[in-house]
């Protein structure tokens, strides 16, 4: 089995507690990821409902997850399963205070690139996480502009 991992590091001007709320609250998660039934509780099974994109031939999918570790406001890990090369992968967020802001260390690990479709799934996940993490920074920035 050949594994590969997606890693990103973000430096956000918002305090760690505000960033935590964005990654550990179901409504906030839906703002920058997908509709879900997440709860920040170890052992909680939940799903993300990824909507279809007919213009690119994507029919949508359900991502099955389970909260594996949750230590507010600094650490969250959950499983992420779809099928084939993306079965029982791990997504984690580590939040560290950095001055008045937050350093976010993101990782999605456990892709099996040796399976059929593995490299395509990994490439799609790299693209998807880049888009979602960019949206997270936008959502957090917009929160600072609200009265």
């Amino acid at each position: 089995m050949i594994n590969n991992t997606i890693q990103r590091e973000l430096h956000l001007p918002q305090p760690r507690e505000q960033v935590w709320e964005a990654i550990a609250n179901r409504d906030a998660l839906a703002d920058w990821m997908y509709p879900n039934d997440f709860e920040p509780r170890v052992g909680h099974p939940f799903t993300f409902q990824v909507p279809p994109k007919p213009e690119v031939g994507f029919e949508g999918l359900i991502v099955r997850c389970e909260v594996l570790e949750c230590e507010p406001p600094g650490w969250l890990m959950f499983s992420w399963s779809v099928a084939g090369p993306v079965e029982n992968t791990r997504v984690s967020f580590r939040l560290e205070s950095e001055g008045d802001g937050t350093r976010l260390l993101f990782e999605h690990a456990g892709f099996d690139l040796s399976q059929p479709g593995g490299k395509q799934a990994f490439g799609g996940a790299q693209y998807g996480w880049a888009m979602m993490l960019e949206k997270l920074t936008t959502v957090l920035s917009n929160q600072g502009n609200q009265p």
Side-chain angles (χ1 to χ4, degrees):
M1 178 163 85
I2 302 169
N3 281 325
N4 222 326
T5 300
I6 300 167
Q7 294 179 313
R8 299 284 185 273
E9 181 174 330
L10 303 176
H11 299 271
L12 303 164
Q14 294 80 17
R16 187 166 73 154
E17 290 73 16
Q18 185 179 350
V19 177
W20 176 260
E21 185 68 14
I23 67 168
N25 173 289
R26 103 174 31 166
D27 294 332
L29 268 173
D31 286 344
W32 63 275
M33 287 182 72
Y34 305 110
N36 65 84
D37 55 348
F38 175 83
E39 290 180 20
R41 180 171 43 88
V42 173
H44 176 68
F46 65 102
T47 59
F48 285 106
Q49 298 171 20
V50 183
K53 284 191 173 184
E55 66 274 15
V56 295
F58 179 66
E59 298 177 359
L61 55 85
I62 302 292
V63 181
R64 295 168 283 109
C65 305
E66 181 179 336
V67 177
L68 301 174
E69 297 177 30
C70 182
E71 298 172 18
W75 174 248
L76 177 65
M77 175 187 278
F78 51 83
S79 63
W80 179 282
S81 296
V82 179
V86 192
E87 190 64 36
N88 204 26
T89 60
R90 300 279 191 269
V91 172
S92 65
F93 298 88
R94 177 175 302 284
L95 306 180
E96 299 174 352
S97 293
E98 185 176 69
D100 293 337
T102 304
R103 184 168 87 146
L104 183 154
L105 301 165
F106 166 83
E107 183 173 290
H108 189 169
F111 291 87
D112 184 355
L113 301 184
S114 66
Q115 287 202 25
K119 289 180 182 172
Q120 181 181 9
F122 183 72
Q126 284 181 305
Y127 175 79
W129 282 116
M131 299 298 288
M132 288 186 289
L133 292 172
E134 183 177 317
K135 193 167 180 183
L136 170 62
T137 62
T138 300
V139 166
L140 285 166
S141 294
N142 290 341
Q143 288 176 351
N145 296 331
Q146 293 177 355

